[in-house]
Structure formats: C-alpha cells, structure tokens
Amino acid sequence: KEIGADVKSLPIHVSVIEAMGRNAGWITAASALARKNKNDAPHLIYLPERPFDEDEFLEDVKELYDELGGVVVVVSEGLKNKDGESIVPPIFKTGRATYYGDVSAHLSSLIIKKLGIKARSEKPGLCGRTSIELLSKVDQEEAILAGREAVKAAVSGHTGVMVGISRVPGKEYKIETSLIPIKEVMMHERVMPEEYINERGNNVTSEFVDWCRPLIGGELPEFINFRNEFFK
C-alpha cells in the first residue's frame, strides 16, 4: 500500500515487487488487500499456479502504464513458464535445493529493454516477514492459540502431529483447531484454488479477497490522495 502511494505520487515508472512463495501464491495474492479505491495498487498480480506468459505480461504493463503513468506489479518468486520451468535460470544447486535469480529484477529489466519504460524491482523478503509493525492481530492471536494447543497435545502424549487451523463456515470469521499427522503436512503445499485466480492470470478474484480479508484483522490505514474521486 505504501509503495502504491509512492508510485502514484510520482507516476513515471513501473515497480515490480517480488513476494515469497515458490509454488503457492497465497502471500502474493494477499497484496490485493491493499486496494480500496479505483486504480489503487497493486495493478497486476502474478501467481505461480498459472504459467507466466511474457508477451501478455508486457502487454498488460504497457496498457496500464499508458493509462496511469505509474504501475505496481506483485509477482511470486516462483513464476514458471508453460513448460513448468522458472522464468529465471538457476544460480546454483545444493542437495535438493535450487537457488534462482530474482524474478522482480528479471521482469524489471524486461520492461526497460522491451518497452522502454523506467522500472525498478523491490524484494521485501525477510523485512516484510519479520516486521513487528506489520503484525496482524488475528495472526498473533492464532499463533498463541496454536502454541497453547501444541503444549496441551505434547503433555497429553501426542506426537508426530501439528496443530491445524480450520475456518468454521459462516459469515462471521471463526476458527477451530485440530491435530494433523505430520506426514500429511510435511513436504506438501496447498496451492491457490482456480476460483481465486482471474481468467487472464494477472490478478485475483473478489472471492479470494473476501476469504482473505479477515486474516489481517481490520482495515489498513487510508492514505489521503488529492487524485481520489472524492476530492473532485
């Protein structure tokens, strides 16, 4: 949201933000919660669950740049092409881990070279993940709950399990916990459902936003902007 306000104040470039998530795009998709007014950032969102199309990406960026002047794109670190290969080459491999170059830097260079538009990359990484200023009250409360339930399970003699959190169906946000065998969780990933990704693959749907919004525990701060419609 802050980067979006900065880009809007000086709309002369494209900012490509790289979010964590090698194979699952939940964190990348959650950036959509920053939007409140029309044309708020992020303007484009690309998830690893969909094959990345370079030509469509450049077309989308160019169209929005011509309209807005400044564009914010959020991409997953794990973007892959139609062949299932990373859009950036691996730097080196060790054991079963493969390290790749920065997707955001690659795409920024692509925008500059092929569109002739100023672009820059941002990779919050650990700074975003560890920031106490960005703590969600809901996340904090659920983390404490999960820890409490884990201690109870351990004291009761349960082993080889972890605490799972499930949402209770209904309009009001409620959760319940359960114990899940580690073998059902370890080395498995739950990816974004198709209904949460738009047809073009460059954004999320309103269904995802409605599902995700309760997790941040309230509205984000509003930035006053004299370009917004209510000032006209």
Side-chain angles (χ1 to χ4, degrees):
K1 193 174 181 72
E2 293 171 345
I3 291 175
D6 186 272
V7 171
K8 185 184 287 186
S9 70
L10 193 63
I12 60 173
H13 69 280
V14 177
S15 177
V16 183
I17 306 170
E18 182 175 340
M20 291 180 173
R22 179 64 59 188
N23 299 310
W26 298 100
I27 296 176
T28 307
S31 64
L33 299 180
R35 302 173 185 147
K36 185 172 183 179
N37 302 301
K38 182 182 179 181
N39 295 331
D40 277 354
H43 306 103
L44 295 167
I45 299 174
Y46 293 91
L47 310 176
E49 286 84 353
R50 287 284 185 86
F52 181 79
D53 188 303
E54 181 179 303
D55 292 333
E56 287 188 359
F57 167 74
L58 292 172
E59 182 180 317
D60 294 340
V61 169
K62 181 65 165 60
E63 181 179 344
L64 282 167
Y65 182 79
D66 290 343
E67 177 186 350
L68 304 175
V71 180
V72 176
V73 184
V74 182
V75 300
S76 165
E77 64 177 333
L79 290 187
K80 302 175 182 64
N81 58 28
K82 63 181 181 180
D83 296 321
E85 302 170 339
S86 173
I87 66 170
V88 293
I91 299 175
F92 71 95
K93 297 181 180 180
T94 174
R96 59 185 179 83
T98 302
Y99 296 85
Y100 296 89
D102 290 348
V103 170
S104 54
H106 170 74
L107 293 179
S108 295
S109 296
L110 202 63
I111 292 169
I112 295 170
K113 292 176 181 177
K114 296 204 172 186
L115 297 180
I117 297 173
K118 181 180 179 180
R120 62 186 303 168
S121 62
E122 305 287 347
K123 190 176 181 179
L126 296 180
C127 294
R129 190 170 73 184
T130 62
S131 175
I132 194 68
E133 290 296 321
L134 303 178
L135 180 67
S136 159
K137 186 67 175 176
V138 172
D139 196 32
Q140 181 185 40
E141 292 172 352
E142 292 181 358
I144 294 172
L145 173 63
R148 185 181 295 121
E149 293 301 312
V151 171
K152 289 180 181 178
V155 171
S156 299
H158 292 286
T159 185
V161 297
M162 68 174 292
V163 177
I165 296 176
S166 302
R167 187 176 300 192
V168 178
K171 291 185 177 180
E172 185 179 353
Y173 178 73
K174 293 181 179 180
I175 63 161
E176 57 186 11
T177 62
S178 62
L179 297 180
I180 306 174
I182 288 293
K183 63 181 181 181
E184 296 181 13
V185 180
M186 186 177 179
M187 303 304 293
H188 294 283
E189 293 167 311
R190 180 170 293 179
V191 299
M192 290 271 290
E194 278 295 307
E195 61 266 26
Y196 285 169
I197 309 173
N198 73 347
E199 185 176 354
R200 177 101 167 160
N202 65 3
N203 226 313
V204 297
T205 61
S206 58
E207 287 80 6
F208 170 78
V209 174
D210 292 340
W211 176 88
C212 191
R213 191 173 297 283
L215 301 180
I216 63 173
E219 294 293 328
L220 296 174
E222 178 69 7
F223 299 133
I224 297 299
N225 189 293
F226 294 101
R227 289 186 167 198
N228 290 343
E229 291 298 323
F230 52 80
F231 285 108
K232 295 181 180 179

